[in-house]
Every structure is written in C-alpha cells, then in structure tokens.
Amino acid sequence: MDQDSHCTAERELLEAVSRMTTSSTTSPSDEEENQPKAEISCQVRKENPGKDDAQDSSATLSPNSSMTTKELQEYWRNEKRQCKQIKLLFEIPSTRIVEHHLSKYVMYKIIILQTGSFDSNKSVIERRYSDFEKLHRNLLEEFSEEMEDVTFPKKTLTGNFTEEIINERKLAFKDYLRLLYSMKYIRRSKKFIDFLTRPELQEAYGCLRGGQYTKALEILLEVVGLQERLTRGNPVSVVPTLCAIVVCHKDLENPASAFEYGEKALSRLCVHTSHRYYIPLLETMITLAYELGKDFLSLQEKLEEWKTKKDPIRVFTLKELAVREYVQ
C-alpha cells in the first residue's frame, strides 16, 4: 500500500471510530427511547483509571491522529466489546404432560438466552399454564395501562392436552414473554423477575435448610446467571443468592470457591454497607481469607470501621441469614 492510500485508510478508520465513540456516549434514556425493546449496556470509563485499567493498555487508548492503523483497529475492537446490545430471548422448544394424583397439566420448557454475545450459560426453566396465568393477573394489578394490548391465551373447556392446543400455546407464551420483556418497567418489575426465578430459588433454599448443600448449590449456580441478566440495573438484588452459594461452598469444604463468590457479593455492597448481608459476609470472608492464607487485615479494618460508626446490634451469621430466605 502506498503512503497516500495508507493515510486515507487511517483517516477513514479514525472517522469511523469517532462516530462509534460518539454513539456509545449516548445517555441510557436516549437509547431506550430509540430502542424500546432492548437495553444498551456501555462500560463508562472512569475519570481516574485505577490499577486494573492500567493493566490493559488497549482499554486506555483514545482515538487520535498519532495512532497507527493497528492501534486504531485495536481501539475500535475494544470499544465494540465495551458497548454491546443486551437483550434476552425466550424460546419454548418442548413440553411435557405431568399426571400427579388427580391432577394433570402441561409443563412448558422455557430457554432464556442472551443475544449480542456468545451466551454459553443459557437458562432453562419449566412453567405451567397456571404459572403464566398468575403472572398475568399480578401484572394487570400493577401495570394495567401497559398491559392494555397484551393478550393472554384463554382456557379451553376441552382439548387442553391435544397437540394442536399445546403447540398454539407454546407460540403464544413465547410471544407473551417477548412482549413483556420489551417493556422496560415490566421486565424490571419484581413480579416478572420472580416468575422466572422464584420457584428455583425456593427449591434451592429448601435444600440448603435441609443440609442438601450439593443439590442447593447446583440449583443456585444455574439461577444466579439468570438473576444477573434480569437485574443489571440493581446488582445488589443478587447478593442473597451469591451469599447462599458462599454458604454451600463453605459447608462443602470448598473455601477457595466460597471466597470467590464472597468477593463477587462484597463488590456489590461496597457502597451499601448498611445492607443486612454486609457484616455477616465480611465476617465470613475474614475467616475464609485466614484459612486460605490471603490478606484478611484489610477486611478486618473494614469490619472495625463499620463497628465504630454503628451502634452495636445483634447480627446474624451468613448461614442464619441464608436459611431465612424464601421461608413460606
């Protein structure tokens, strides 16, 4: 490539990066107005980048005329990774008929996966018609205006277990979930999130209370990923589940894994030190850090700092808090 062609390529790439950078700084509200059926998650760079930012030189680059073509390309790739479309898709590929004592019903298998990136951790849940019906009723109470044009598959007196009716409902429930998720206030509502996660969490905490830590951990690890996808705007809401995972790993004598999930939970509470899980989690992390030979003094300092600011009150242990979740 001659010099003029090389310069032209650099200018074109720089202009493209500038256009992309400008669009990535659009406020969340503007994006939601333009794309009501999707959330845009952009990594906002810190004004004072810390140690982690310094470790990735490509992440600290900004487009300027002194960059080489290679540097601009790397910057562009990095920016695309930092700002990607976040959207969940709902598929209902199959069903099964359950006969239990005198009752008979259809369970719909729902697969939830994320678009915009390779999503290897898809979530799989099962719900029956009455679960959907209860969700619809609850949403109508809180979001009557938003739900005005949302149709729901009606019950039929006969033929509920025919292949034709089941297939119709599969498609109807798929469209129903997709429509609900497209509405910002509904997809962020506790009722919608509970529909997708609460039955599994109730089962997991039941296993935890019964000392079935392996089974509880298996369920919790499956549901926490879905919880995180559904509650991106409220990361603190995932703390109880992360702490339950810590409790399971700790009781199964996996201190390294317990510490790993404890760090994730603690990072979500760094500005929520009055949260009921903060002190029990700190105390557990100090014990785990000491056992693993990690730095526990910084955690101890945080604990002492909290104690000097707060009046002494009775604090439950992390396990005591966990077993109280989802108690009927």
Side-chain angles (χ1 to χ4, degrees):
M1 180 184 293
D2 56 35
Q3 185 173 358
D4 290 341
S5 299
H6 183 76
C7 291
T8 301
E10 284 194 359
R11 282 197 302 272
E12 291 176 352
L13 186 56
L14 179 58
E15 289 172 2
V17 171
S18 298
R19 287 195 300 271
M20 185 209 61
T21 305
T22 301
S23 66
S24 69
T25 57
T26 305
S27 66
S29 59
D30 291 339
E31 291 293 343
E32 286 184 342
E33 287 178 4
N34 295 331
Q35 298 183 17
K37 293 188 180 181
E39 288 184 343
I40 302 298
S41 173
C42 298
Q43 292 282 346
V44 181
R45 299 189 182 281
K46 301 176 185 176
E47 293 181 2
N48 299 309
K51 183 178 179 181
D52 291 340
D53 293 325
Q55 290 175 352
D56 185 358
S57 59
S58 65
T60 59
L61 290 174
S62 59
N64 58 70
S65 58
S66 64
M67 280 185 176
T68 65
T69 301
K70 183 177 180 180
E71 287 173 336
L72 282 168
Q73 289 173 337
E74 178 59 30
Y75 176 84
W76 196 0
R77 280 194 294 269
N78 185 67
E79 284 298 313
K80 289 174 71 176
R81 286 195 297 268
Q82 296 290 334
C83 183
K84 62 181 71 172
Q85 191 179 63
I86 303 298
K87 185 178 181 181
L88 296 185
L89 293 179
F90 299 87
E91 298 291 340
I92 304 181
S94 62
T95 61
R96 63 187 179 94
I97 297 175
V98 177
E99 295 190 53
H100 184 68
H101 297 305
L102 299 177
S103 65
K104 182 179 179 181
Y105 53 87
V106 179
M107 294 293 288
Y108 296 85
K109 180 180 180 180
I110 307 168
I111 297 179
I112 308 161
L113 60 157
Q114 178 180 306
T115 63
S117 64
F118 178 71
D119 188 9
S120 60
N121 297 317
K122 64 184 179 183
S123 301
V124 181
I125 60 176
E126 282 189 317
R127 297 293 182 267
R128 54 188 291 189
Y129 181 94
S130 59
D131 296 324
F132 281 98
E133 190 177 38
K134 181 180 178 182
L135 169 66
H136 191 70
R137 190 166 55 249
N138 289 339
L139 290 177
L140 282 173
E141 292 175 0
E142 187 175 352
F143 303 102
S144 57
E145 187 175 339
E146 290 87 343
M147 297 287 291
E148 258 183 358
D149 300 322
V150 179
T151 58
F152 187 81
K154 294 182 179 179
K155 283 184 177 179
T156 58
L157 295 177
T158 60
N160 286 306
F161 302 102
T162 64
E163 185 177 351
E164 181 182 1
I165 293 294
I166 291 174
N167 286 333
E168 284 180 4
R169 286 185 175 173
K170 276 169 55 179
L171 294 173
F173 284 142
K174 173 186 171 180
D175 290 340
Y176 178 73
L177 290 173
R178 183 175 58 186
L179 182 57
L180 293 182
Y181 184 77
S182 73
M183 294 183 276
K184 180 177 67 174
Y185 294 109
I186 290 181
R187 71 169 171 262
R188 293 180 180 177
S189 70
K190 185 178 184 299
K191 291 175 180 178
F192 181 68
I193 294 170
D194 278 353
F195 168 78
L196 296 170
T197 60
R198 189 176 180 90
E200 287 72 24
L201 287 171
Q202 286 178 323
E203 182 184 0
Y205 279 99
C207 292
L208 192 156
R209 283 188 288 273
Q212 301 175 49
Y213 301 115
T214 301
K215 180 62 176 177
L217 183 60
E218 178 185 335
I219 301 170
L220 290 167
L221 289 174
E222 286 182 0
V223 77
V224 72
L226 177 56
Q227 268 191 303
E228 288 175 334
R229 293 181 182 96
L230 291 167
T231 60
R232 290 182 181 277
N234 182 22
V236 175
S237 62
V238 189
V239 166
T241 306
L242 290 172
C243 288
I245 292 173
V246 172
V247 169
C248 289
H249 274 307
K250 190 171 183 294
D251 278 38
L252 290 169
E253 299 182 356
N254 299 324
S257 297
F259 191 84
E260 176 190 347
Y261 280 92
E263 284 187 315
K264 291 181 181 180
L266 205 55
S267 69
R268 287 160 167 78
L269 296 178
C270 58
V271 293
H272 301 278
T273 57
S274 60
H275 195 280
R276 70 187 189 281
Y277 271 89
Y278 182 68
I279 293 306
L281 179 59
L282 262 184
E283 292 174 337
T284 300
M285 290 295 284
I286 290 169
T287 302
L288 290 169
Y290 182 80
E291 182 179 348
L292 294 167
K294 294 180 179 288
D295 171 32
F296 64 89
L297 293 178
S298 59
L299 295 170
Q300 187 70 47
E301 287 173 3
K302 289 180 181 179
L303 181 61
E304 295 302 325
E305 180 184 357
W306 185 91
K307 287 181 177 179
T308 60
K309 293 180 180 179
K310 304 286 184 180
D311 294 329
I313 56 174
R314 185 186 187 286
V315 178
F316 292 109
T317 66
L318 197 66
K319 188 172 183 178
E320 286 173 337
L321 277 179
V323 298
R324 282 168 168 76
E325 294 284 347
Y326 292 94
V327 174
Q328 295 294 332

